[in-house]
């Protein structure tokens, strides 16, 4: 398969299996949160809930695009992503996947709604930092810190907003819902008794929204992992999108060259002058390549990683150059640059993609994980965050807020934690009901501890595992 030697094919298979295992474990945590309220409130039976959630997740992954997936991929430095040594790529993939799985399984075992997103981000950072210590890393590149900081803000602010918005929504419900409906909405679920039809419909709708947007965000993280594996181990097939005619790049290259030709390099900072010179050389090389002789309209195998590297660096450098005060690019010029660099009709359409079979494989892994491991997290969300049991209003409020936050993050192409957004929404709804005293201090402390420890532990795990695998392989 893919023309690989037997040992490399086995490593590819193990890596793909590990990525699916990560999404399977992700289903324990994050998708279980999505079905917690409908199961706990008896709106749906567990089997029906997880199957329906799986369908919504599948749809979300399928329709959610790949912006978040590419954000995950681009956290790592270009040098690591285009390493010609396939065993180095295997070490990278196995380190970040195993560290993520170890932490996720451990927190799942204790029923803690830990964040798969935090775990994955931490693992990627650990691998990047470990790569910085490698002798072949001449530039000292470790992590795409600009993207990492942007991701960090999203992960930090989303649960705080979820907590606050749930309080606001509960306040609005108490003030706007008629008394008769309010009596039903703010009741605790009765054991083995379905809620009123209209409440059941609301809860199923909010569960569906959370599941859909979870697929559009968290599902993409798995897609990003698979693409890291494929780009690293079988770059000849996946470094750039092979079913696109490379000659389509020429119009984009020409448009970019025309725009940056107006730049006065003397007005740029020294760093950006160097970037501009490098970008012009890379654009010229790409232009010569795609205008040369191409067998079957394909980039030669030995050039595919180089082309990916050039495309990523062109995109990164031009973004930094355009932000320089001395660039003086007009709004129309910036718009033209974005169009020629973008993923829809620009150069990034050759690097920012994922085959349909990858998306389907991740969707299936998420769904299976949900069906098998949902119970522990459901009990925590339904009974252990607050001192009182979850009411219909609290469940609906938390899930509606979670759906809004995750949907917004997916639109902005940022990864967020379904676990933290939803559990913070539950906590906010408990505070809105009877104040801070309504929270169970022990559970909140454990969740907060898992939140605080996830990044440093996953960074340390992946850092150590990468060094180990580089030594072994």
């Amino acid at each position: 398969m893919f023309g690989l030697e037997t040992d490399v094919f086995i490593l590819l298979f193990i890596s793909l299996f590990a990525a699916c295992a990560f999404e399977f474990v992700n289903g324990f945590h994050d998708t279980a949160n999505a079905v917690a309220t409908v199961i706990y409130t008896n709106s749906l039976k567990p089997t029906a809930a997880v199957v329906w959630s799986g369908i919504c997740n599948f749809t979300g992954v399928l329709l959610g695009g790949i912006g978040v997936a590419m954000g995950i991929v681009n956290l790592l430095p270009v040098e690591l992503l285009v390493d010609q040594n396939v065993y180095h790529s295997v070490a990278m993939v196995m380190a970040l996947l195993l560290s993520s799985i170890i932490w996720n399984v451990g927190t799942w075992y204790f029923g803690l709604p830990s964040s798969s997103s935090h775990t994955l981000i931490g693992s990627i950072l650990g691998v990047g930092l470990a790569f910085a210590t490698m002798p072949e890393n001449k530039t000292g590149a470790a992590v795409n810190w600009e993207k990492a900081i942007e991701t960090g803000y999203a992960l930090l602010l989303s649960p705080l907003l979820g907590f606050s918005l749930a309080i606001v929504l509960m306040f609005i419900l108490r003030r706007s819902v008629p008394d008769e409906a309010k009596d039903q909405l703010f009741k605790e679920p009765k054991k083995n008794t379905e809620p009123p039809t209209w409440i059941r419909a609301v809860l199923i709708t909010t569960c569906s929204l959370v599941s859909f947007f979870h697929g559009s965000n968290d599902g993409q993280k798995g897609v990003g992992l698979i693409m890291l594996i494929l780009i690293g181990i079988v770059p000849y097939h996946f470094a750039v999108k092979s079913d696109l005619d490379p000659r389509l790049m020429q119009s984009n290259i020409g448009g970019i060259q025309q725009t940056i030709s107006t730049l006065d390099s003397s007005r740029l900072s020294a760093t950006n002058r160097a970037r501009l010179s490098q970008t012009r050389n890379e654009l010229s090389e790409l232009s010569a390549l795609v205008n040369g002789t191409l067998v079957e309209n394909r980039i030669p195998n030995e050039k595919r990683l180089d082309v990916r590297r050039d495309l990523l660096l062109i995109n990164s450098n031009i973004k930094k150059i355009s932000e320089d005060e001395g660039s003086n690019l007009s709004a129309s010029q910036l718009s033209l640059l974005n169009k020629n660099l973008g993923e829809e009709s620009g150069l990034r359409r050759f690097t920012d993609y994922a085959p349909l079979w990858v998306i389907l494989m991740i969707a299936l892994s998420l769904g299976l994980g949900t069906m098998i491991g949902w119970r522990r997290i459901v009990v925590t969300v339904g009974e252990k965050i607050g001192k009182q049991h979850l009411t219909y209003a609290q469940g609906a409020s938390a899930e509606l807020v979670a759906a809004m936050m995750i949907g917004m993050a997916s639109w902005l192409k940022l990864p967020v934690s379904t676990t933290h957004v939803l559990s913070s929404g539950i906590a906010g709804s408990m505070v809105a009901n009877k104040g801070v005293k309504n929270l169970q201090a022990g559970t909140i402390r454990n969740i907060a501890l898992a939140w605080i420890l996830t990044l440093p532990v996953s960074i340390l795990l992946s850092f150590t595992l990468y060094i180990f695998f580089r030594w072994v392989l």
Side-chain angles (χ1 to χ4, degrees):
M1 187 177 182
F2 299 127
L4 298 175
E5 297 177 0
T6 302
D7 58 338
V8 177
F9 175 76
I10 292 172
L11 288 172
L12 172 64
F13 177 81
I14 293 172
S15 299
L16 291 174
F17 178 81
C20 290
F22 170 80
E23 282 304 313
F24 182 82
V25 175
N26 189 2
F28 288 1
H29 282 89
D30 292 18
T31 317
N33 285 277
V35 299
T37 53
V38 288
I39 293 175
Y40 187 77
T41 59
N42 304 308
S43 298
L44 286 175
K45 297 293 185 184
T47 301
V50 295
V51 170
W52 176 244
S53 178
I55 293 171
C56 293
N57 265 297
F58 174 85
T59 307
V61 176
L62 201 62
L63 301 180
I66 57 167
V68 175
M70 291 302 106
I72 294 296
V73 171
N74 293 329
L75 277 171
L76 289 169
V78 173
E79 291 80 2
L80 180 54
L81 291 177
V82 295
D83 193 327
Q84 298 283 352
N85 190 316
V86 67
Y87 294 101
H88 293 176
S89 299
V90 171
M92 169 193 72
V93 170
M94 294 303 294
L96 68 88
L97 283 173
L98 284 180
S99 58
S100 298
I101 292 169
I102 290 169
W103 183 249
N104 273 353
V105 171
T107 51
W108 165 81
Y109 180 80
F110 291 102
L112 295 176
S114 175
S115 168
S116 299
S117 301
H118 283 66
T119 307
L120 178 58
I121 300 302
S123 298
I124 290 175
L125 295 180
V127 167
L129 292 171
F131 176 69
T133 68
M134 294 294 110
E136 73 271 13
N137 185 358
K138 307 298 183 184
T139 65
V143 174
N144 182 348
W145 290 113
E146 182 180 354
K147 188 67 181 176
I149 291 170
E150 182 183 80
T151 301
Y153 279 132
L155 292 174
L156 176 64
L157 294 177
S158 54
L160 299 177
L161 287 172
F163 179 84
S164 304
L165 289 175
I167 294 176
V168 172
L169 186 53
M170 286 286 288
F171 177 82
I172 292 172
L173 287 176
R174 285 192 180 279
R175 294 296 184 272
S176 60
V177 175
D179 289 340
E180 183 179 348
K182 189 186 298 181
D183 291 340
Q184 294 178 322
L185 191 59
F186 285 85
K187 281 184 178 179
E188 292 181 11
K190 293 182 180 179
K191 190 174 182 179
N192 299 323
T193 303
E194 290 183 358
T197 303
W198 70 274
I199 293 178
R200 188 177 180 221
V202 169
L203 289 166
I204 292 174
T205 300
T206 55
C207 166
S208 303
L209 289 171
V210 171
S211 298
F212 175 84
F213 287 120
H214 173 262
S216 73
N217 196 280
D218 272 45
Q220 287 192 53
K221 296 162 193 167
V223 173
L225 283 175
I226 296 290
M227 292 310 297
L228 278 175
I229 294 167
L230 296 175
I231 292 167
I233 300 179
V234 279
Y236 295 165
H237 296 272
F238 297 100
V240 291
K241 194 172 184 180
S242 57
D243 59 352
L244 281 178
D245 186 344
R247 291 185 177 86
L248 294 173
M249 290 186 198
Q250 187 54 54
S251 62
N252 301 127
I253 293 170
I256 295 170
Q257 286 175 324
Q258 183 177 358
T259 303
I260 65 175
S261 67
T262 64
L263 291 172
D264 182 355
S265 60
S266 65
R267 302 182 64 177
L268 300 175
S269 67
T271 302
N272 283 328
R273 282 199 297 273
R275 287 181 178 132
L276 180 59
S277 175
Q278 180 188 32
T279 300
R280 284 172 171 161
N281 290 336
E282 287 162 349
L283 287 168
S284 297
E285 290 173 3
L286 273 179
S287 181
L289 175 65
V290 299
N291 284 326
T293 302
L294 296 176
V295 179
E296 297 180 353
N297 287 334
R298 288 173 59 89
I299 297 170
N301 285 345
E302 66 274 11
K303 294 288 186 180
R304 295 175 77 80
L305 268 180
D306 291 335
V307 168
R308 181 178 182 85
R309 177 183 179 278
D310 287 345
L311 291 173
L312 292 175
L313 287 175
I314 288 169
N315 182 75
S316 174
N317 286 340
I318 287 182
K319 182 179 179 181
K320 292 183 173 77
I321 292 167
S322 64
E323 293 170 351
D324 192 304
E325 292 181 358
S327 65
N328 286 333
L329 292 170
S330 66
S332 60
Q333 287 176 313
L334 288 172
S335 177
L336 185 61
L337 278 177
N338 289 332
K339 181 180 178 181
N340 283 310
L341 290 169
E343 65 269 16
E344 292 185 7
S345 59
L347 293 180
R348 280 172 50 200
R349 63 186 152 155
F350 289 88
T351 58
D352 293 12
Y353 78 100
L356 179 60
W357 65 267
V358 171
I359 296 171
L360 294 176
M361 185 165 64
I362 291 301
L364 181 61
S365 300
L366 265 178
L368 288 175
T370 304
M371 294 179 191
I372 294 173
W374 58 270
R375 190 178 302 275
R376 287 177 184 267
I377 304 298
V378 167
V379 172
T380 297
V381 170
E383 299 182 12
K384 295 183 179 180
I385 292 179
K387 292 182 179 178
Q388 68 176 64
H389 285 198
L390 193 72
T391 66
Y392 301 127
Q394 290 169 325
S397 297
E399 291 219 314
L400 183 57
V401 166
M404 291 168 54
M405 295 296 302
I406 300 166
M408 179 64 71
S410 297
W411 181 66
L412 294 172
K413 301 178 182 178
L414 293 171
V416 293
S417 167
T418 300
T419 300
H420 285 162
V421 173
L422 186 56
S423 58
S424 64
I426 296 289
S429 72
M430 291 290 177
V431 170
N433 211 27
K434 291 185 178 179
V436 177
K437 64 181 181 181
N438 195 32
L439 297 176
Q440 289 197 38
T443 301
I444 298 300
R445 182 176 60 250
N446 289 340
I447 292 175
L449 186 62
W451 186 29
I452 293 169
L453 289 178
T454 293
L455 273 176
V457 170
S458 54
I459 287 173
L460 180 60
L461 277 172
S462 63
F463 183 97
T464 306
L465 286 170
Y466 182 75
I467 299 295
F468 172 73
F469 285 127
R470 283 293 302 268
W471 176 66
V472 171
L473 295 175

